[in-house]
Amino acid sequence: MAVEHTKPIPSPIGENKPKIDARVKSTGAAIYADDIQFGNNLLYARIKRSPHPHARILSVDTSKAATVPGVKAVVTGDDYPGYIGLYLQDRTIFCRDKVRYVGDPVAGVAAISEEIAEKALDSIKIEYELLDPVLDPEFGAGPNAPLLHPDLGHYEVANFIIPKPGTNISNHFKIRKGNVETAWKQCTAIIERKYRIPHIQHVPIEPHVAIAQVEQSGEITLWGSSQSPFAQRNLIAKALGISQSDMRVIAPYVGGGFGSKAGVSMESLAVAIAMKVPGRPIKLLLTREEEFYTAFVRQGLVSYYKMGCDESGKILAMENTFYWDAGAYTEYGVNITRASGYSSSGPYEVPNIKTDSYCVYTNHPVGGPMRGFGMPEMHAGLEQCIDELALKLQIDPVKFREINCLKTGSILVTGSKMHATGLPECLQKTAEAIRWGQDSPPSSPNKRRGKGIALMWKAPAMPPNAGSSAWIELAEDGYITVGVGGQDLGQGAFTVAAQMAAAALGVPYEWARVATPVDTRYSPYEWQTVASRLTWSMGNAIVNAAQDARRQILDIAAEAWNEDADNLDVVNGVVISYKTERELPLENLVVYGLPKDDDQGWIGGPIIGRGNFMPTYVTGLDPETGQGERAVVHYTTGAQAVDVEVDLVTGRVDVIKGAAAFDVGKAINPDLVKAQMEGGFIQGMSSALFECLQLKDGVLQNPSFVDYRIATSTDIPDEIQTIIVEVPQDDGPWGARGIGEHAMVPTIPAIANAIYAAVGVRLEGPPFTSEKIYLAMQDAGIVS
Amino acid sequence: MINPYPGLPEFEYVKPASLKEASDFLHQHKNSACPFLGGTDVFVRLRDRLSRENYLVDIKRLEGLNNISYDPERGLTIGAAVNMNKVIVSPEINSHYPILVEACRSVASYQLRNRATIAGNICNASPAGDTIGACLLLDAKLSINGVNGKRVVSLQEFFIAPGETILGPGDIVTSIHFPVPRPGTQGKYVKLGRNKLSDLAIVGVTVIGYPNNDLRSGYQIKIALASVAPVPLVVNQVEELLSTSAIDENIISDAAEIAMKVSSPIDDIRASARYRKIMVRNLSQTTLQSVWTELTEHSDNLEQSIKTSRRN
Amino acid sequence: MAIHRIFPTINGELEQVDVPSNMTLLKMLREKMAFTGTKNGCSAGECGACTVLLNNEPVNSCLVLAVECDGADIVTIEGLAQDGKLALVQEAIIKSGGVQCGFCTPGVLINTMALLDRNPNPSDSQIREALVGNLCRCTGYIRIIDSVKKTAQMLKAERSELWQ
């Protein structure tokens, strides 16, 4: 199904084409969901949310709300009994009997203005019976914790998720490979550490927004800032008990996703409210404050690592326990537990490994997919332990990683074999780029300088049968339109879609358009825009569609010219014969067909190519051992290094320089790949130095930009070197695999390792704020 | 649970034509009206449901509020409505009161500084106010228009508690006055935030010093601290120490220790009291040292040029 | 709540708008007048996505009342390109790859215009300082800063005004 890699790479694959959407975005003409004009018919929704982390709902009195002038609908959980969820259906659209986190939606109002809706919310009276909350995942996993989901055993669940009913553990993933107990005895050095990674949030600059309209006939239209129109249609339809075909999702430009706009979070609320006011569109727009804690957050992690190696530095064993603070509902987060479990060796060959990864319900905001899907949280501690192990044996951390990192053919933690990988090349090039081994001088006597490095790996985490499809249509001018279901979140998915379609069909890049916005009524199915899967999966579908169109075109020309289709080609928008050198521009053929030679009739018709791609080779994993023949479709691997400076007066950490190398298989658009490496580095750096959702008794203390700090233009390093490594993926288009998430994965441990090199302190977890670093240095006697 | 409105709550916008009209209106509607200049504090408070005024009184265009005037005999007057970016580019303020420029530059962002004002910073009375320390150390005085006429109040007497000042209903700060600066004045504002720029002050240190031959040390050096006490804190004990003893590195260290002891920061979501106290010491140390170096370098130059001019 | 009739000039055109007292300039632009290019990221003056020029100076329009803009001169992102021809800042950001999701882009471009207006040849640190009030989550700022430098170069080469 994949394009052969032996053929020469056709244009514009590998070229830095400017983004297809850059112009419309830079003129203000790009339409995002909140920009769509709905006219006077539009109603505004606001949500009444639980102020308690854990409570039983005793009564909900909405009687006054309905009488406020301008209020058109009031909705509670009583109206919607259906469960919803991606991998585990553990939540209802509105709370019905319990609230499980501060922010949990209890009631909704639609009114002619947001102000009137707020007034109506103020009049809704809810009586709660407070329940003891679970605020720590280790405690939550234990026997004394209150039970957050007594019905866990009755929830519909995907067959690769293993919940423990009667507990707060909604997924327990295990790796049992080899024998760690005997292996410890052979280890010369062992490191045991605990790390605590706090919750953070995606902080898309565009908050979540959804507009829903339900017709009298029951048909639903949902407009939204969405990474996953098809998944949203599927999940919401199921929860409402309607047919997927009776729901339409339209997804205009997205102002940043990072995973927050995947799956279903607040969109179902808009639909539920809209059902009460048929014929009128209802808009729900989250405030920035709500964005911080009521949609998705990145779950917290308490992780225990133990790893040991022999005297030559070869890792012999690892033992990991992960307690994921997954929040009130884990319908999506259960797979993060699994993904981290089957990746728990890090990008290393480890013969003996025991992992227990627990997804734990807590009365915290809902953990969902965030760039990296568990990999940043897991690598944060793991890559520090790798450094510590190396340093214990006095082996250089780069050398230690050279010894142990995955190579082509390595045996993986799940027992599968590593495909062709450029990880060693990524490591070597990154170390070179940061000038590993040469200490940079500090910029003043009050500063200390240090370098750190970290590796990563990640596979697209998704069901084994997540599919893509595409169509290609040609117009009278010979230009092509590519239909896709994947979304451009800014990463450039539409641009590379156009590049791949043009290359596979044989037309100039400028002839390729993408059919936007993605609209489930017209766009072809795409599982979700997550997992860094589009270039690979959607790309394969596009290539198949283009080849399908090509075949149709060449068959028509072959018949019209009485030639063998094998001697024909489409080059630069022209059908040519290698045999007779006959030529015909595409525009002459793709809509009206060609006349027969004897003028007695026609051949062909409007060309429409279609293609799909779904991996068929992922096997399951044994629920007891986590072993299986093929756990995932593939891995992207890479390395990041940093050169940091620590200020001894304030404890501030400055990242002076960064370097990164990732094996992307084939960079369809190298500039876009580099842009991901840059943006991911900075987002990773921001999570390492500044970011933390400060939860106290389940209440978020800092839900605003004032006190949730992210990197600004003044915080970034002087220079980030980004290096593309290309070891082709056997079933990727021209060898391509993903990059979007991977660039954020190794940054926390790279910085942590550099801080240790500079001043000799390590913290229990990020963010490495000035205060935490200074006080750690003070406790260690480095400063007074 | 922090729960701001999506937008601003309902209120009436009032634009009085004169100071008298403004003060009278504010007095008449005490508890339900407040004046605003740039609105960067007032609007945020309203949206956050921290206050609930029915009337917002726009005083930006009133007489005398938009001028910057400098007189070498009388000093500097900055109208209350002059935004911080205007302060930053003013030639007179740069020449004679550069510490005000430095303090303004540290505030938020360029966009916000087009609306934010020093007077607003003062009236908001946050202990974290970036420009307040400089104003205190420069002996600023506030011109206030009230229902009973105008009066002048020293900034030293202005603050009562976080968010609370001596302003009563109907009072409007119209301008801030700074006396003529002493010859040889050096100053520095150091602000520690969580980001490199644009954050609130976790700890802020303002130091101003100038030669003063009436003092044993020959220099008058003053220090003000932000975010470490309920109100912006002037540490008189430091001024005392640095005026009576010959100044060297050790005395500066002692001064920093005193500043640390006198400060009383709290634990909050931005930082801990423990860290803030140490930062008071460390940053007072470096800031005092820096100003001291500037003072001695410049006074050397001053002496040199006096000697040179005498020779000629 | 009173409705005020105001006469702002927006992107060179004199307009008449009726606005309630509590309507922000941002809301007026987006909801009353369909200038949806200016974005709402936080409603609190922190993210800069709502930046417009008010009397030639960039402000967070979420913290300006519409009623304050009677007689004011406002420029939004829609006012940068003239007759289909992109402004230099727009060309530069496209070329530099500084547009990913695009949500911060209008605010960034307005702020950049103003920066180059007052300082046609800014240093790296001056650019960073000027842009600190524009939060971007996608690009890491690198190509945005690069585009400002590019624009300064283009300006120098062109020796022409940003505004006609």
Side-chain angles (χ1 to χ4, degrees):
Chain A
M1 279 256 235
V3 179
E4 283 178 48
H5 308 310
T6 47
K7 290 211 192 95
I9 307 280
S11 168
I13 301 301
E15 292 174 27
N16 293 330
K17 293 298 179 191
K19 277 177 96 245
I20 224 171
D21 50 343
R23 191 198 161 106
V24 74
K25 286 173 174 170
S26 66
T27 58
I31 299 295
Y32 300 78
D34 190 40
D35 301 333
I36 303 173
Q37 303 293 307
F38 287 95
N40 291 331
N41 223 11
L42 182 65
L43 295 174
Y44 298 85
R46 295 291 299 150
I47 307 294
K48 185 90 176 171
R49 299 179 182 279
S50 167
H52 306 296
H54 196 201
R56 209 177 314 275
I57 300 173
L58 297 177
S59 68
V60 183
D61 180 6
T62 60
S63 51
K64 290 218 175 62
T67 64
V68 174
V71 170
K72 301 298 175 190
V74 184
V75 168
T76 66
D78 285 342
D79 303 309
Y80 299 100
Y83 278 76
I84 191 169
L86 180 64
Y87 295 112
L88 168 72
Q89 286 168 29
D90 66 357
R91 74 196 290 191
T92 50
I93 296 174
F94 284 92
C95 299
R96 286 167 61 81
D97 57 336
K98 281 218 295 186
V99 293
R100 294 180 175 87
Y101 73 105
V102 175
D104 217 348
V106 181
V109 168
I112 57 176
S113 73
E114 276 183 327
E115 288 90 356
I116 292 176
E118 278 290 324
K119 223 182 265 176
L121 288 190
D122 286 340
S123 75
I124 296 176
K125 299 289 167 243
I126 306 177
E127 259 188 281
Y128 293 102
E129 179 198 326
L130 298 187
L131 300 171
D132 286 332
V134 173
L135 302 174
D136 174 86
E138 267 185 280
F139 170 70
N144 300 320
L147 212 54
L148 270 49
H149 286 262
D151 290 333
L152 180 57
H154 302 300
Y155 295 151
E156 246 189 76
V157 63
N159 66 3
F160 48 86
I161 302 294
I162 303 153
K164 304 284 180 229
T167 74
N168 289 317
I169 298 169
S170 56
N171 190 20
H172 177 194
F173 182 91
K174 292 192 259 204
I175 295 280
R176 301 286 185 268
K177 178 178 178 216
N179 187 332
V180 296
E181 294 311 326
T182 29
W184 296 134
K185 301 194 181 98
Q186 290 148 19
C187 291
T188 308
I190 295 178
I191 289 284
E192 263 188 275
R193 291 286 180 263
K194 174 184 177 182
Y195 283 95
R196 192 175 268 279
I197 313 301
H199 291 78
I200 66 172
Q201 212 264 340
H202 316 58
V203 191
I205 305 300
E206 178 204 28
H208 278 73
V209 54
I211 306 104
Q213 180 167 333
V214 182
E215 304 307 333
Q216 295 285 357
S217 59
E219 282 174 10
I220 302 174
T221 308
L222 172 67
W223 296 259
S225 180
S226 164
Q227 301 177 221
S228 307
F230 288 90
Q232 288 173 348
R233 179 181 74 170
N234 188 29
L235 266 42
I236 296 176
K238 272 190 169 143
L240 296 175
I242 67 170
S243 169
Q244 284 83 347
S245 298
D246 287 336
M247 180 161 167
R248 174 184 180 188
V249 182
I250 301 171
Y253 286 114
V254 178
F258 312 109
S260 69
K261 294 167 180 171
V264 173
S265 58
M266 48 75 85
E267 298 80 10
S268 54
L269 301 171
V271 173
I273 298 172
M275 294 188 90
K276 298 293 179 186
V277 227
R280 296 191 74 163
I282 311 289
K283 179 187 293 200
L284 177 60
L285 173 63
L286 294 190
T287 64
R288 175 57 59 182
E289 292 76 13
E290 284 175 309
E291 180 66 38
F292 273 111
Y293 66 100
T294 71
F296 280 128
V297 301
R298 192 179 82 178
Q299 64 291 323
L301 171 64
V302 176
S303 51
Y304 293 89
Y305 301 89
K306 182 176 178 182
M307 51 174 82
C309 62
D310 66 19
E311 70 213 357
S312 72
K314 191 91 188 65
I315 301 173
L316 298 181
M318 281 189 184
E319 190 171 330
N320 309 301
T321 314
F322 302 144
Y323 295 98
W324 292 95
D325 185 335
Y329 305 97
T330 63
E331 47 99 5
Y332 211 131
V334 281
N335 203 22
I336 295 167
T337 298
R338 180 170 195 270
S340 57
Y342 65 59
S343 311
S344 56
S345 58
Y348 300 105
E349 189 166 44
V350 180
N352 304 284
I353 174 162
K354 176 176 186 237
T355 295
D356 288 282
S357 184
Y358 299 102
C359 186
V360 186
Y361 283 121
T362 59
N363 295 113
H364 278 152
V366 179
M370 179 171 173
R371 197 175 194 174
F373 209 69
M375 295 303 102
E377 304 92 289
M378 187 196 81
H379 283 73
L382 193 145
E383 277 297 284
Q384 290 190 65
C385 291
I386 292 287
D387 244 39
E388 290 207 79
L389 209 50
L391 295 172
K392 203 163 184 185
L393 284 180
Q394 292 175 330
I395 301 177
D396 175 87
V398 168
K399 184 96 192 83
F400 190 87
R401 288 177 171 85
E402 269 169 24
I403 295 168
N404 290 290
C405 77
L406 294 172
K407 288 112 187 149
T408 306
S410 294
I411 306 297
L412 303 177
V413 46
T414 52
S416 341
K417 253 203 180 140
M418 185 61 183
H419 55 71
T421 177
L423 180 56
E425 195 184 335
C426 291
L427 170 60
Q428 181 231 334
K429 288 194 162 145
T430 304
E432 244 168 59
I434 205 77
R435 300 227 185 83
W436 188 264
Q438 297 169 42
D439 287 332
S440 315
S443 64
S444 84
N446 274 332
K447 310 225 195 226
R448 296 286 176 269
R449 201 80 179 236
K451 294 183 185 177
I453 195 162
L455 300 182
M456 65 75 60
W457 72 330
K458 180 182 184 292
M462 49 190 192
N465 55 353
S468 305
S469 55
W471 48 255
I472 292 184
E473 197 177 69
L474 287 101
E476 292 93 321
D477 50 9
Y479 285 27
I480 71 174
T481 299
V482 189
V484 295
Q487 262 286 52
D488 197 319
L489 315 173
Q491 84 283 46
F494 292 159
T495 307
V496 296
Q499 287 181 256
M500 290 191 281
L505 185 43
V507 301
Y509 170 72
E510 291 70 26
W511 290 18
R513 309 276 189 271
V514 180
T516 62
V518 174
D519 180 338
T520 58
R521 176 175 287 178
Y522 305 106
S523 305
Y525 176 88
E526 183 65 54
W527 180 65
Q528 293 197 79
T529 300
V530 295
S532 312
R533 58 185 286 281
L534 286 195
T535 302
W536 167 74
S537 180
M538 189 175 85
N540 279 333
I542 291 170
V543 166
N544 289 336
Q547 288 176 337
D548 184 40
R550 236 178 78 95
R551 250 187 314 275
Q552 293 170 43
I553 290 165
L554 296 185
D555 283 348
I556 293 170
E559 193 183 328
W561 297 348
N562 200 18
E563 286 201 51
D564 196 332
D566 287 340
N567 294 328
L568 305 183
D569 200 355
V570 181
V571 179
N572 252 337
V574 180
V575 183
I576 63 170
S577 167
Y578 290 123
K579 187 158 178 218
T580 65
E581 295 188 5
R582 204 165 163 176
E583 275 185 20
L584 184 70
L586 271 185
E587 66 197 58
N588 294 352
L589 174 162
V590 293
V591 174
Y592 303 112
L594 288 177
K596 283 194 173 142
D597 239 353
D598 58 7
D599 247 346
Q600 300 300 309
W602 293 83
I603 306 163
I607 306 291
I608 182 153
R610 56 122 176 84
N612 66 17
F613 176 78
M614 191 183 87
T616 52
Y617 42 75
V618 172
T619 65
L621 295 175
D622 184 295
E624 289 309 311
T625 63
Q627 305 296 294
E629 220 188 283
R630 182 133 179 203
V632 302
V633 291
H634 59 250
Y635 300 89
T636 294
T637 55
Q640 257 177 14
V642 294
D643 185 352
V644 310
E645 190 159 77
V646 181
D647 187 318
L648 295 180
V649 174
T650 60
R652 159 170 283 142
V653 177
D654 272 327
V655 177
I656 309 292
K657 278 195 182 25
F662 291 90
D663 176 7
V664 300
K666 174 70 192 164
I668 304 295
N669 186 321
D671 224 30
L672 294 183
V673 171
K674 283 176 169 256
Q676 286 305 294
M677 290 198 214
E678 292 158 15
F681 181 99
I682 297 300
Q683 197 173 19
M685 183 194 87
S686 185
S687 72
L689 298 182
F690 306 122
E691 296 181 44
C692 172
L693 289 174
Q694 296 186 39
L695 290 158
K696 184 165 174 266
D697 300 324
V699 181
L700 182 58
Q701 306 294 307
N702 59 336
S704 82
F705 282 125
V706 175
D707 287 315
Y708 185 96
R709 308 301 299 176
I710 67 171
T712 68
S713 54
T714 57
D715 298 305
I716 65 174
D718 298 327
E719 176 196 332
I720 302 178
Q721 268 195 64
T722 53
I723 300 156
I724 296 174
V725 169
E726 291 175 319
V727 174
Q729 183 59 43
D730 60 1
D731 70 348
W734 296 278
R737 64 176 89 79
I739 179 60
E741 299 168 275
H742 311 81
M744 187 180 170
V745 171
T747 325
I748 293 174
I751 292 177
N753 290 336
I755 293 172
Y756 185 82
V759 293
V761 302
R762 249 181 231 287
L763 301 186
E764 199 190 40
F768 309 132
T769 60
S770 314
E771 169 167 342
K772 285 168 75 173
I773 295 294
Y774 189 92
L775 296 182
M777 290 195 294
Q778 190 186 44
D779 290 340
I782 300 163
V783 294
S784 55
Chain B
M1 177 173 74
I2 298 172
N3 184 24
Y5 291 115
L8 295 177
E10 288 191 9
F11 55 78
E12 279 311 338
Y13 171 82
V14 176
K15 191 169 173 183
S18 70
L19 273 171
K20 176 162 175 21
E21 203 184 305
S23 287
D24 286 344
F25 186 96
L26 287 166
H27 188 258
Q28 203 184 353
H29 295 93
K30 62 183 126 183
N31 298 330
S32 69
C34 81
F36 79 96
L37 292 163
T40 54
D41 288 320
V42 170
F43 298 156
V44 171
R45 255 193 4 247
L46 277 174
R47 181 174 171 266
D48 283 348
R49 306 186 203 235
L50 296 175
S51 62
R52 194 66 179 87
E53 281 86 4
N54 295 325
Y55 301 97
L56 290 198
V57 181
D58 188 348
I59 57 173
K60 279 192 290 296
R61 297 258 75 91
L62 293 177
E63 59 263 29
L65 265 59
N66 284 286
N67 301 325
I68 301 175
S69 65
Y70 174 72
D71 183 305
E73 314 271 295
R74 299 223 296 270
L76 171 73
T77 301
I78 304 180
V82 174
N83 69 50
M84 288 191 187
N85 279 338
K86 290 213 165 67
V87 170
I88 289 167
V89 300
S90 153
E92 295 100 337
I93 302 180
N94 272 280
S95 298
H96 306 288
Y97 306 85
I99 187 69
L100 286 177
V101 172
E102 201 182 339
C104 285
R105 279 186 72 177
S106 76
V107 174
S109 66
Y110 189 83
Q111 292 98 313
L112 273 170
R113 294 197 295 275
N114 273 326
R115 298 278 290 177
T117 63
I118 297 180
N121 205 217
I122 289 172
C123 293
N124 195 39
S126 161
D130 292 303
T131 61
I132 302 179
C135 291
L136 283 167
L137 298 184
L138 290 172
D139 290 322
K141 291 190 174 23
L142 303 178
S143 291
I144 302 173
N145 189 85
V147 283
N148 297 321
K150 300 186 199 295
R151 66 192 196 279
V152 175
V153 167
S154 164
L155 194 59
Q156 317 272 5
E157 288 143 35
F158 188 73
F159 302 103
I160 300 175
E164 221 187 296
T165 70
I166 54 102
L167 293 177
D171 282 342
I172 297 172
V173 172
T174 56
S175 63
I176 312 166
H177 182 79
F178 302 87
V180 178
R182 300 282 290 261
T185 297
Q186 299 291 336
K188 194 171 175 65
Y189 176 55
V190 169
K191 170 179 176 174
L192 178 65
R194 289 158 293 188
N195 297 79
K196 269 215 186 101
L197 199 60
S198 90
D199 196 5
L200 300 169
I202 303 296
V203 166
V205 177
T206 316
V207 170
I208 290 182
Y210 46 82
N212 185 344
N213 289 322
D214 295 337
L215 299 174
R216 266 252 297 263
S217 69
Y219 293 93
Q220 187 142 13
I221 303 181
K222 310 191 257 191
I223 190 168
L225 303 173
S227 298
V228 298
V231 296
L233 185 64
V234 176
V235 189
N236 296 315
Q237 299 91 322
V238 167
E239 187 181 345
E240 170 86 23
L241 176 68
L242 296 177
S243 66
T244 53
S245 336
I247 300 176
D248 62 21
E249 256 182 53
N250 292 325
I251 295 294
I252 289 180
S253 275
D254 291 344
E257 289 279 340
I258 292 174
M260 178 173 77
K261 287 205 181 68
V262 168
S263 69
S264 58
I266 55 169
D267 288 323
D268 66 19
I269 56 172
R270 295 176 191 142
S272 68
R274 176 185 167 199
Y275 179 65
R276 283 181 155 125
K277 269 211 175 259
I278 302 171
M279 287 305 106
V280 168
R281 183 199 64 196
N282 290 4
L283 295 178
S284 296
Q285 166 102 31
T286 52
T287 313
L288 285 167
Q289 187 66 49
S290 170
V291 172
W292 169 241
T293 306
E294 290 290 304
L295 282 171
T296 49
E297 263 175 26
H298 278 87
S299 74
D300 284 347
N301 291 342
L302 193 60
E303 271 187 44
Q304 272 303 110
S305 66
I306 293 172
K307 283 191 187 135
T308 315
S309 67
R310 284 216 189 105
R311 245 185 266 128
N312 292 344
Chain C
M1 209 175 26
I3 306 291
H4 308 267
R5 174 155 294 177
I6 62 170
F7 295 87
T9 299
I10 304 180
N11 295 331
E13 286 185 24
L14 184 61
E15 307 276 0
Q16 172 186 305
V17 200
D18 295 334
V19 296
S21 287
N22 72 341
M23 178 172 269
T24 60
L25 174 59
L26 176 64
K27 248 195 150 143
M28 182 193 92
L29 290 169
R30 286 184 58 77
E31 294 177 24
K32 271 248 154 187
M33 308 184 76
F35 281 113
T36 55
T38 306
K39 305 302 180 194
N40 178 4
C42 73
S43 298
E46 294 285 332
C47 73
C50 68
T51 307
V52 300
L53 292 184
L54 177 60
N55 297 327
N56 251 342
E57 285 290 340
V59 294
N60 294 315
S61 60
C62 68
L63 290 186
V64 174
L65 297 180
V67 60
E68 293 181 71
C69 299
D70 186 24
D73 191 77
I74 295 167
V75 177
T76 71
I77 183 69
E78 290 90 345
L80 259 53
Q82 299 289 326
D83 295 323
K85 186 169 185 303
L86 294 177
L88 288 179
V89 289
Q90 291 167 308
E91 278 182 42
I93 205 169
I94 293 169
K95 271 208 194 79
S96 298
V99 181
Q100 286 193 28
C101 82
F103 207 72
C104 76
T105 305
V108 163
L109 290 176
I110 291 284
N111 203 8
T112 300
M113 292 282 280
L115 166 65
L116 293 169
D117 206 24
R118 65 180 184 269
N119 182 355
N121 201 16
S123 68
D124 208 66
S125 69
Q126 284 170 330
I127 296 173
R128 290 174 183 221
E129 192 179 325
L131 288 177
V132 79
N134 290 88
L135 296 181
C136 173
R137 200 55 162 161
C138 298
T139 67
Y141 307 100
I142 296 157
R143 287 160 192 261
I144 292 177
I145 293 167
D146 198 54
S147 81
V148 180
K149 289 199 213 132
K150 256 201 187 70
T151 313
Q153 281 165 15
M154 279 153 74
L155 266 177
K156 222 158 138 193
E158 247 200 28
R159 282 181 219 275
S160 66
E161 299 256 296
L162 281 169
W163 319 94
Q164 83 281 44

